[in-house]
Each structure stands twice: as structure tokens, then as C-alpha cells.
Amino acid sequence: MFTSRAEYRLTCAADNADQRLTDTQGIDRRGGCVRHRRSIRHGAKMAALNAAKNLAKSAIDHAE
């Protein structure tokens, strides 16, 4: 039997696995664990996520 926190973590794990497991310093790519195309897609996804976070933060700042 799982606690509610453990169940929640299991449901979220697939959503952010690439963020947690793909290295941001490029070590995975240089080590051969991540191909170039995957690295490019990951970089684009992270840029989009950061842009969305910045947009949300600016909306919150303007609302205050």
C-alpha cells in the first residue's frame, strides 16, 4: 500500500522524466546517452517551459 504522496509522485514521474534525466550541461550527449536530435528537442522544450514560466511570473507581478 502506498501513501498518497507516493501515489502522487508516481503519477507525476512520467511528466517530467526528461527534465530530470536529461543533463542540462550536455554530459549525457557527449557520453553518448542522448542523441543530437533528442538534445535539440529537449533544449526547445526547456526554452518553451522557461518562456511560459516567465510569462506567468510577469502576469503575477503586473497583477500585484
Side-chain angles (χ1 to χ4, degrees):
M1 188 150 121
F2 289 104
T3 64
S4 61
R5 180 173 175 83
E7 289 175 356
Y8 178 73
R9 289 182 69 203
L10 287 173
T11 61
C12 293
D15 293 344
N16 65 359
D18 59 338
Q19 296 171 38
R20 291 182 290 108
L21 300 175
T22 303
D23 187 72
T24 58
Q25 303 299 317
I27 296 170
D28 289 343
R29 186 167 176 268
R30 288 191 303 261
C33 297
V34 177
R35 292 194 172 129
H36 181 68
R37 186 169 41 183
R38 172 78 177 122
S39 178
I40 299 274
R41 279 194 341 234
H42 178 69
K45 179 181 177 181
M46 294 308 296
L49 285 171
N50 286 333
K53 286 178 187 177
N54 290 336
L55 180 64
K57 185 175 181 337
S58 68
I60 291 170
D61 289 343
H62 288 292
E64 294 175 349

